[in-house]
Amino acid sequence: MLAGGVGGARFLRGLCRHTDPRHTTVIGNTGDDEEFFGLHVAPDLDTVLYTLAGRADPVRGWGLHGETFHCLRAVGTLGGPTWFQLGDRDLATHLVRTAWLRAGWSLSRVTATLARAHGVRVRILPMTDDRVRTFVHTERGRLPFQDYLVRGRARGRVRRIEVAGAARARPAPGVLAALQTSDAVVIAPSNPLVSIGPMLALPGVRKALARRRGAAVAVSPLVGGRAVRGPLPRMLRGLGLEVSPRGVARLYRGLVDV
Ligand code: FO1
């Protein structure tokens, strides 16, 4: 399964009730990853991890259930930025991830180690171990994804989505093999532009999907013209694309059967 953040993670949780988690692989978007206070934050991978571990905040969908924000408040009193809400226990994830990455581990190894620590048996693969960064171009300029979504509340007409670094990045070990050899591929009801799009922009991913023999199914993140979550309708409109499951299907033309 290819998945972004909250919508993808919740769908995956449902899917895993009907599949053997040990035979399920999720490929997660890392285009949203950002550095805060020198720490590597991987929101989509963490949302998948926390959701599958049964520890995600049930209302927000991201972050940990029962989280506290003492550190963030202390940052605020010192005059530091607080627009991206990093919880106290969530910070532990970013601390160990950053330490392991600095020690030379790949993001794949970090992610697998965190999944084991949470008792998650589904295989979680980052889409790439290389640095890929999604930027949203609006009339307000070129914004890193979290700046656009969280700090700027997805304001401004979207003109272009840029996935910087994708052309030179390699899919993480196991990604292309999973797409080629699995019985079925499911594209989760995630944002096709900024969650799934960065994965499709990696060399070899589109080809692997187009050539595979088993079923490939995409689930629309739009229901009744509204997104399950997030600013997708606004983004599609800004780009002049149809706000409907058909509009989403067009983005996956040649890649999925259903
Ligand atoms: N989303 C928000 O709308 N506001 C936040 O302050 C915020 C903090 C945050 C911290 C850790 C994390 O893993 C995710 C967080 N998210 C927050 C969600 C995230 O911005 C997006 O939902 C994803 O990047 C899009 O899939």
Side-chain angles (χ1 to χ4, degrees):
M1 178 158 142
L2 279 70
V6 178
R10 286 182 172 159
F11 184 81
L12 181 65
R13 188 180 52 193
L15 188 78
C16 287
R17 294 193 185 129
H18 303 280
T19 61
D20 183 339
R22 290 165 306 175
H23 297 153
T24 306
T25 297
V26 56
I27 302 168
N29 172 40
T30 59
D32 297 7
D33 289 15
E34 191 53 88
E35 251 195 36
F36 292 99
F37 310 109
L39 301 177
H40 184 117
V41 180
D44 284 1
L45 293 178
D46 289 346
T47 298
V48 166
L49 177 64
Y50 296 160
T51 303
L52 290 179
R55 299 189 60 206
D57 183 280
V59 178
R60 291 192 307 259
W62 49 266
L64 287 158
H65 180 44
E67 185 60 286
T68 54
F69 293 87
H70 300 295
C71 180
L72 192 76
R73 270 197 295 277
V75 165
T77 60
L78 298 173
T82 57
W83 59 267
F84 198 76
Q85 294 178 54
L86 293 169
D88 296 326
R89 284 179 300 140
D90 188 30
L91 274 169
T93 303
H94 315 315
L95 283 168
V96 295
R97 175 188 293 117
T98 307
W100 289 338
L101 288 173
R102 293 217 177 120
W105 291 24
S106 66
L107 185 60
S108 297
R109 183 176 171 197
V110 171
T111 306
T113 306
L114 291 173
R116 249 195 321 276
H118 279 273
V120 168
R121 286 175 303 163
V122 169
R123 187 165 66 134
I124 306 175
L125 301 178
M127 65 182 197
T128 179
D129 286 332
D130 299 323
R131 191 70 180 104
V132 169
R133 205 160 181 230
T134 302
F135 290 90
V136 181
H137 292 249
T138 74
E139 61 229 9
R140 295 162 169 250
R142 174 184 188 258
L143 297 173
F145 181 72
Q146 299 299 344
D147 274 74
Y148 163 75
L149 182 75
V150 179
R151 193 183 206 169
R153 296 172 195 268
R155 280 187 296 252
R157 187 183 165 145
V158 175
R159 294 195 169 132
R160 186 163 83 86
I161 313 283
E162 175 193 353
V163 188
R168 282 185 316 279
R170 284 153 308 168
V175 165
L176 293 181
L179 294 176
Q180 280 155 354
T181 62
S182 52
D183 297 326
V185 167
V186 180
I187 300 183
S190 299
N191 187 313
L193 302 170
V194 290
S195 295
I196 307 298
M199 301 189 216
L200 301 181
L202 295 173
V205 169
R206 277 186 169 270
K207 201 191 276 178
L209 274 171
R211 288 194 181 162
R212 55 172 280 110
R213 288 170 189 275
V217 177
V219 182
S220 173
L222 292 171
V223 181
R226 291 174 60 182
V228 173
R229 185 98 182 185
L232 177 61
R234 209 182 303 175
M235 298 179 93
L236 287 169
R237 236 175 271 123
L239 293 168
L241 301 169
E242 186 176 314
V243 185
S244 74
R246 185 169 54 187
V248 174
R250 283 200 185 114
L251 295 168
Y252 299 143
R253 185 176 278 160
L255 304 179
V256 297
D257 311 301
V258 180

PDB file of all heavy atoms in Angstrom, residues 4-6 32 41-44 46-47 62-63 83-86 90 94 145-146 149-150 195, ligand 1:
ATOM      1  N   GLY A   4      -0.114   8.209   2.542  1.00  0.00           N
ATOM      2  CA  GLY A   4       0.354   9.474   3.095  1.00  0.00           C
ATOM      3  C   GLY A   4       0.115   9.475   4.592  1.00  0.00           C
ATOM      4  O   GLY A   4       0.451   8.493   5.275  1.00  0.00           O
ATOM      5  N   GLY A   5      -0.522  10.535   5.103  1.00  0.00           N
ATOM      6  CA  GLY A   5      -0.685  10.693   6.545  1.00  0.00           C
ATOM      7  C   GLY A   5      -1.955  10.072   7.088  1.00  0.00           C
ATOM      8  O   GLY A   5      -2.198   8.870   6.947  1.00  0.00           O
ATOM      9  N   VAL A   6      -2.809  10.922   7.651  1.00  0.00           N
ATOM     10  CA  VAL A   6      -3.933  10.434   8.464  1.00  0.00           C
ATOM     11  C   VAL A   6      -4.896   9.526   7.677  1.00  0.00           C
ATOM     12  O   VAL A   6      -5.229   8.427   8.122  1.00  0.00           O
ATOM     13  CB  VAL A   6      -4.688  11.637   9.086  1.00  0.00           C
ATOM     14  CG1 VAL A   6      -5.880  11.163   9.886  1.00  0.00           C
ATOM     15  CG2 VAL A   6      -3.743  12.460   9.963  1.00  0.00           C
ATOM     16  N   ASP A  32       6.975  15.280   2.993  1.00  0.00           N
ATOM     17  CA  ASP A  32       6.531  16.224   4.042  1.00  0.00           C
ATOM     18  C   ASP A  32       7.555  16.367   5.150  1.00  0.00           C
ATOM     19  O   ASP A  32       7.340  17.150   6.082  1.00  0.00           O
ATOM     20  CB  ASP A  32       5.271  15.704   4.750  1.00  0.00           C
ATOM     21  CG  ASP A  32       4.077  15.572   3.865  1.00  0.00           C
ATOM     22  OD1 ASP A  32       4.223  15.748   2.653  1.00  0.00           O
ATOM     23  OD2 ASP A  32       2.998  15.272   4.403  1.00  0.00           O
ATOM     24  N   VAL A  41      11.861  15.360  11.466  1.00  0.00           N
ATOM     25  CA  VAL A  41      10.473  14.972  11.735  1.00  0.00           C
ATOM     26  C   VAL A  41       9.906  14.364  10.447  1.00  0.00           C
ATOM     27  O   VAL A  41      10.035  14.953   9.377  1.00  0.00           O
ATOM     28  CB  VAL A  41       9.637  16.196  12.179  1.00  0.00           C
ATOM     29  CG1 VAL A  41       8.195  15.806  12.454  1.00  0.00           C
ATOM     30  CG2 VAL A  41      10.261  16.818  13.426  1.00  0.00           C
ATOM     31  N   ALA A  42       9.307  13.183  10.576  1.00  0.00           N
ATOM     32  CA  ALA A  42       8.751  12.475   9.415  1.00  0.00           C
ATOM     33  C   ALA A  42       7.261  12.244   9.683  1.00  0.00           C
ATOM     34  O   ALA A  42       6.857  11.150  10.095  1.00  0.00           O
ATOM     35  CB  ALA A  42       9.487  11.154   9.195  1.00  0.00           C
ATOM     36  N   PRO A  43       6.419  13.264   9.457  1.00  0.00           N
ATOM     37  CA  PRO A  43       5.027  13.187   9.914  1.00  0.00           C
ATOM     38  C   PRO A  43       4.248  12.001   9.336  1.00  0.00           C
ATOM     39  O   PRO A  43       3.502  11.349  10.083  1.00  0.00           O
ATOM     40  CB  PRO A  43       4.423  14.515   9.426  1.00  0.00           C
ATOM     41  CG  PRO A  43       5.588  15.430   9.306  1.00  0.00           C
ATOM     42  CD  PRO A  43       6.734  14.567   8.870  1.00  0.00           C
ATOM     43  N   ASP A  44       4.413  11.719   8.056  1.00  0.00           N
ATOM     44  CA  ASP A  44       3.588  10.648   7.486  1.00  0.00           C
ATOM     45  C   ASP A  44       4.019   9.270   7.986  1.00  0.00           C
ATOM     46  O   ASP A  44       3.171   8.418   8.306  1.00  0.00           O
ATOM     47  CB  ASP A  44       3.605  10.712   5.953  1.00  0.00           C
ATOM     48  CG  ASP A  44       2.724  11.850   5.434  1.00  0.00           C
ATOM     49  OD1 ASP A  44       2.132  12.571   6.265  1.00  0.00           O
ATOM     50  OD2 ASP A  44       2.606  12.012   4.200  1.00  0.00           O
ATOM     51  N   ASP A  46       5.403   8.663  10.828  1.00  0.00           N
ATOM     52  CA  ASP A  46       5.016   8.580  12.243  1.00  0.00           C
ATOM     53  C   ASP A  46       3.511   8.373  12.395  1.00  0.00           C
ATOM     54  O   ASP A  46       3.065   7.648  13.288  1.00  0.00           O
ATOM     55  CB  ASP A  46       5.443   9.850  12.991  1.00  0.00           C
ATOM     56  CG  ASP A  46       6.956   9.899  13.158  1.00  0.00           C
ATOM     57  OD1 ASP A  46       7.610   8.867  12.940  1.00  0.00           O
ATOM     58  OD2 ASP A  46       7.478  10.982  13.490  1.00  0.00           O
ATOM     59  N   THR A  47       2.737   9.018  11.525  1.00  0.00           N
ATOM     60  CA  THR A  47       1.277   8.843  11.606  1.00  0.00           C
ATOM     61  C   THR A  47       0.904   7.387  11.327  1.00  0.00           C
ATOM     62  O   THR A  47       0.072   6.794  12.024  1.00  0.00           O
ATOM     63  CB  THR A  47       0.581   9.799  10.613  1.00  0.00           C
ATOM     64  OG1 THR A  47       0.893  11.137  11.003  1.00  0.00           O
ATOM     65  CG2 THR A  47      -0.921   9.622  10.622  1.00  0.00           C
ATOM     66  N   TRP A  62      -2.878  12.733  13.900  1.00  0.00           N
ATOM     67  CA  TRP A  62      -1.417  12.741  13.962  1.00  0.00           C
ATOM     68  C   TRP A  62      -0.983  12.923  15.414  1.00  0.00           C
ATOM     69  O   TRP A  62      -1.780  13.361  16.258  1.00  0.00           O
ATOM     70  CB  TRP A  62      -0.822  13.849  13.085  1.00  0.00           C
ATOM     71  CG  TRP A  62      -1.441  15.206  13.273  1.00  0.00           C
ATOM     72  CD1 TRP A  62      -2.463  15.747  12.550  1.00  0.00           C
ATOM     73  CD2 TRP A  62      -1.095  16.187  14.277  1.00  0.00           C
ATOM     74  NE1 TRP A  62      -2.769  16.998  13.040  1.00  0.00           N
ATOM     75  CE2 TRP A  62      -1.934  17.296  14.090  1.00  0.00           C
ATOM     76  CE3 TRP A  62      -0.151  16.229  15.301  1.00  0.00           C
ATOM     77  CZ2 TRP A  62      -1.862  18.440  14.890  1.00  0.00           C
ATOM     78  CZ3 TRP A  62      -0.068  17.367  16.105  1.00  0.00           C
ATOM     79  CH2 TRP A  62      -0.925  18.458  15.884  1.00  0.00           C
ATOM     80  N   GLY A  63       0.268  12.624  15.687  1.00  0.00           N
ATOM     81  CA  GLY A  63       0.764  12.737  17.055  1.00  0.00           C
ATOM     82  C   GLY A  63       0.229  11.615  17.938  1.00  0.00           C
ATOM     83  O   GLY A  63      -0.515  10.744  17.477  1.00  0.00           O
ATOM     84  N   TRP A  83       4.539  27.116  15.883  1.00  0.00           N
ATOM     85  CA  TRP A  83       3.420  26.851  14.957  1.00  0.00           C
ATOM     86  C   TRP A  83       3.294  25.377  14.604  1.00  0.00           C
ATOM     87  O   TRP A  83       2.204  24.930  14.248  1.00  0.00           O
ATOM     88  CB  TRP A  83       3.534  27.707  13.698  1.00  0.00           C
ATOM     89  CG  TRP A  83       4.796  27.520  12.900  1.00  0.00           C
ATOM     90  CD1 TRP A  83       5.932  28.249  13.030  1.00  0.00           C
ATOM     91  CD2 TRP A  83       5.036  26.576  11.848  1.00  0.00           C
ATOM     92  NE1 TRP A  83       6.877  27.807  12.129  1.00  0.00           N
ATOM     93  CE2 TRP A  83       6.347  26.790  11.389  1.00  0.00           C
ATOM     94  CE3 TRP A  83       4.271  25.577  11.242  1.00  0.00           C
ATOM     95  CZ2 TRP A  83       6.929  26.040  10.361  1.00  0.00           C
ATOM     96  CZ3 TRP A  83       4.832  24.820  10.223  1.00  0.00           C
ATOM     97  CH2 TRP A  83       6.137  25.051   9.787  1.00  0.00           C
ATOM     98  N   PHE A  84       4.368  24.610  14.723  1.00  0.00           N
ATOM     99  CA  PHE A  84       4.275  23.171  14.457  1.00  0.00           C
ATOM    100  C   PHE A  84       4.307  22.466  15.801  1.00  0.00           C
ATOM    101  O   PHE A  84       5.294  22.522  16.528  1.00  0.00           O
ATOM    102  CB  PHE A  84       5.438  22.721  13.574  1.00  0.00           C
ATOM    103  CG  PHE A  84       5.195  21.389  12.917  1.00  0.00           C
ATOM    104  CD1 PHE A  84       4.337  21.292  11.818  1.00  0.00           C
ATOM    105  CD2 PHE A  84       5.809  20.241  13.381  1.00  0.00           C
ATOM    106  CE1 PHE A  84       4.097  20.062  11.205  1.00  0.00           C
ATOM    107  CE2 PHE A  84       5.567  19.006  12.772  1.00  0.00           C
ATOM    108  CZ  PHE A  84       4.721  18.927  11.681  1.00  0.00           C
ATOM    109  N   GLN A  85       3.171  21.841  16.131  1.00  0.00           N
ATOM    110  CA  GLN A  85       3.002  21.330  17.492  1.00  0.00           C
ATOM    111  C   GLN A  85       3.675  19.975  17.697  1.00  0.00           C
ATOM    112  O   GLN A  85       3.108  18.945  17.349  1.00  0.00           O
ATOM    113  CB  GLN A  85       1.517  21.213  17.805  1.00  0.00           C
ATOM    114  CG  GLN A  85       0.822  22.554  17.862  1.00  0.00           C
ATOM    115  CD  GLN A  85      -0.645  22.354  18.128  1.00  0.00           C
ATOM    116  OE1 GLN A  85      -1.044  21.703  19.090  1.00  0.00           O
ATOM    117  NE2 GLN A  85      -1.467  22.902  17.270  1.00  0.00           N
ATOM    118  N   LEU A  86       4.856  20.032  18.266  1.00  0.00           N
ATOM    119  CA  LEU A  86       5.579  18.801  18.579  1.00  0.00           C
ATOM    120  C   LEU A  86       5.334  18.459  20.041  1.00  0.00           C
ATOM    121  O   LEU A  86       5.670  19.234  20.930  1.00  0.00           O
ATOM    122  CB  LEU A  86       7.070  18.997  18.306  1.00  0.00           C
ATOM    123  CG  LEU A  86       7.428  19.197  16.821  1.00  0.00           C
ATOM    124  CD1 LEU A  86       8.874  19.648  16.683  1.00  0.00           C
ATOM    125  CD2 LEU A  86       7.175  17.928  16.018  1.00  0.00           C
ATOM    126  N   ASP A  90       6.243  12.694  21.463  1.00  0.00           N
ATOM    127  CA  ASP A  90       6.549  12.650  20.029  1.00  0.00           C
ATOM    128  C   ASP A  90       8.003  13.083  19.802  1.00  0.00           C
ATOM    129  O   ASP A  90       8.709  12.535  18.949  1.00  0.00           O
ATOM    130  CB  ASP A  90       5.574  13.576  19.281  1.00  0.00           C
ATOM    131  CG  ASP A  90       5.666  13.455  17.769  1.00  0.00           C
ATOM    132  OD1 ASP A  90       5.992  12.358  17.280  1.00  0.00           O
ATOM    133  OD2 ASP A  90       5.412  14.468  17.071  1.00  0.00           O
ATOM    134  N   HIS A  94      11.597  11.893  17.403  1.00  0.00           N
ATOM    135  CA  HIS A  94      12.464  12.714  16.537  1.00  0.00           C
ATOM    136  C   HIS A  94      13.897  12.758  17.061  1.00  0.00           C
ATOM    137  O   HIS A  94      14.838  12.826  16.268  1.00  0.00           O
ATOM    138  CB  HIS A  94      11.881  14.129  16.408  1.00  0.00           C
ATOM    139  CG  HIS A  94      10.413  14.128  16.150  1.00  0.00           C
ATOM    140  ND1 HIS A  94       9.828  13.280  15.217  1.00  0.00           N
ATOM    141  CD2 HIS A  94       9.388  14.817  16.706  1.00  0.00           C
ATOM    142  CE1 HIS A  94       8.530  13.467  15.237  1.00  0.00           C
ATOM    143  NE2 HIS A  94       8.236  14.379  16.127  1.00  0.00           N
ATOM    144  N   PHE A 145       6.314  22.189   2.340  1.00  0.00           N
ATOM    145  CA  PHE A 145       4.954  21.691   2.545  1.00  0.00           C
ATOM    146  C   PHE A 145       4.360  22.033   3.918  1.00  0.00           C
ATOM    147  O   PHE A 145       3.210  22.477   4.012  1.00  0.00           O
ATOM    148  CB  PHE A 145       4.898  20.171   2.322  1.00  0.00           C
ATOM    149  CG  PHE A 145       3.520  19.633   2.490  1.00  0.00           C
ATOM    150  CD1 PHE A 145       2.550  19.881   1.533  1.00  0.00           C
ATOM    151  CD2 PHE A 145       3.148  18.943   3.630  1.00  0.00           C
ATOM    152  CE1 PHE A 145       1.245  19.434   1.692  1.00  0.00           C
ATOM    153  CE2 PHE A 145       1.847  18.489   3.805  1.00  0.00           C
ATOM    154  CZ  PHE A 145       0.903  18.738   2.824  1.00  0.00           C
ATOM    155  N   GLN A 146       5.114  21.839   4.995  1.00  0.00           N
ATOM    156  CA  GLN A 146       4.544  22.102   6.329  1.00  0.00           C
ATOM    157  C   GLN A 146       4.261  23.597   6.514  1.00  0.00           C
ATOM    158  O   GLN A 146       3.314  23.966   7.193  1.00  0.00           O
ATOM    159  CB  GLN A 146       5.459  21.583   7.450  1.00  0.00           C
ATOM    160  CG  GLN A 146       5.701  20.080   7.421  1.00  0.00           C
ATOM    161  CD  GLN A 146       4.433  19.240   7.586  1.00  0.00           C
ATOM    162  OE1 GLN A 146       3.380  19.714   8.003  1.00  0.00           O
ATOM    163  NE2 GLN A 146       4.533  17.966   7.232  1.00  0.00           N
ATOM    164  N   LEU A 149       0.946  24.033   4.644  1.00  0.00           N
ATOM    165  CA  LEU A 149      -0.226  23.392   5.257  1.00  0.00           C
ATOM    166  C   LEU A 149      -0.506  23.906   6.663  1.00  0.00           C
ATOM    167  O   LEU A 149      -1.641  24.284   6.974  1.00  0.00           O
ATOM    168  CB  LEU A 149      -0.006  21.863   5.306  1.00  0.00           C
ATOM    169  CG  LEU A 149      -1.170  21.068   5.888  1.00  0.00           C
ATOM    170  CD1 LEU A 149      -2.311  20.994   4.876  1.00  0.00           C
ATOM    171  CD2 LEU A 149      -0.735  19.662   6.277  1.00  0.00           C
ATOM    172  N   VAL A 150       0.488  23.895   7.511  1.00  0.00           N
ATOM    173  CA  VAL A 150       0.254  24.169   8.938  1.00  0.00           C
ATOM    174  C   VAL A 150       0.418  25.664   9.245  1.00  0.00           C
ATOM    175  O   VAL A 150      -0.498  26.289   9.750  1.00  0.00           O
ATOM    176  CB  VAL A 150       1.189  23.308   9.813  1.00  0.00           C
ATOM    177  CG1 VAL A 150       0.962  23.615  11.294  1.00  0.00           C
ATOM    178  CG2 VAL A 150       0.972  21.814   9.534  1.00  0.00           C
ATOM    179  N   SER A 195       0.822  13.588  -1.294  1.00  0.00           N
ATOM    180  CA  SER A 195       1.165  12.381  -0.521  1.00  0.00           C
ATOM    181  C   SER A 195       1.618  11.258  -1.455  1.00  0.00           C
ATOM    182  O   SER A 195       2.647  10.630  -1.226  1.00  0.00           O
ATOM    183  CB  SER A 195      -0.029  11.903   0.303  1.00  0.00           C
ATOM    184  OG  SER A 195      -0.372  12.858   1.275  1.00  0.00           O
TER     185      SER A 195
HETATM  186  N1  FO1 B   1      -0.626  19.141  11.576  1.00  0.00           N
HETATM  187  C1  FO1 B   1      -1.185  20.319  11.889  1.00  0.00           C
HETATM  188  O1  FO1 B   1      -2.177  20.715  11.274  1.00  0.00           O
HETATM  189  N2  FO1 B   1      -0.641  21.128  12.880  1.00  0.00           N
HETATM  190  C2  FO1 B   1       0.441  20.733  13.600  1.00  0.00           C
HETATM  191  O2  FO1 B   1       0.902  21.482  14.451  1.00  0.00           O
HETATM  192  C3  FO1 B   1       1.021  19.446  13.296  1.00  0.00           C
HETATM  193  C4  FO1 B   1       2.089  18.948  14.028  1.00  0.00           C
HETATM  194  C5  FO1 B   1       2.567  17.639  13.762  1.00  0.00           C
HETATM  195  C6  FO1 B   1       3.594  17.099  14.531  1.00  0.00           C
HETATM  196  C7  FO1 B   1       4.058  15.823  14.272  1.00  0.00           C
HETATM  197  C8  FO1 B   1       3.490  15.079  13.226  1.00  0.00           C
HETATM  198  O3  FO1 B   1       3.936  13.837  12.974  1.00  0.00           O
HETATM  199  C9  FO1 B   1       2.468  15.612  12.451  1.00  0.00           C
HETATM  200  C10 FO1 B   1       1.995  16.882  12.707  1.00  0.00           C
HETATM  201  N3  FO1 B   1       0.962  17.439  11.948  1.00  0.00           N
HETATM  202  C11 FO1 B   1       0.442  18.665  12.261  1.00  0.00           C
HETATM  203  C12 FO1 B   1       0.414  16.711  10.797  1.00  0.00           C
HETATM  204  C13 FO1 B   1       1.194  16.991   9.502  1.00  0.00           C
HETATM  205  O4  FO1 B   1       1.472  18.333   9.322  1.00  0.00           O
HETATM  206  C14 FO1 B   1       0.373  16.646   8.235  1.00  0.00           C
HETATM  207  O5  FO1 B   1      -0.840  16.080   8.525  1.00  0.00           O
HETATM  208  C15 FO1 B   1       1.066  15.733   7.310  1.00  0.00           C
HETATM  209  O6  FO1 B   1       2.360  16.133   6.990  1.00  0.00           O
HETATM  210  C16 FO1 B   1       0.262  15.583   6.014  1.00  0.00           C
HETATM  211  O7  FO1 B   1       0.160  14.262   5.770  1.00  0.00           O
END
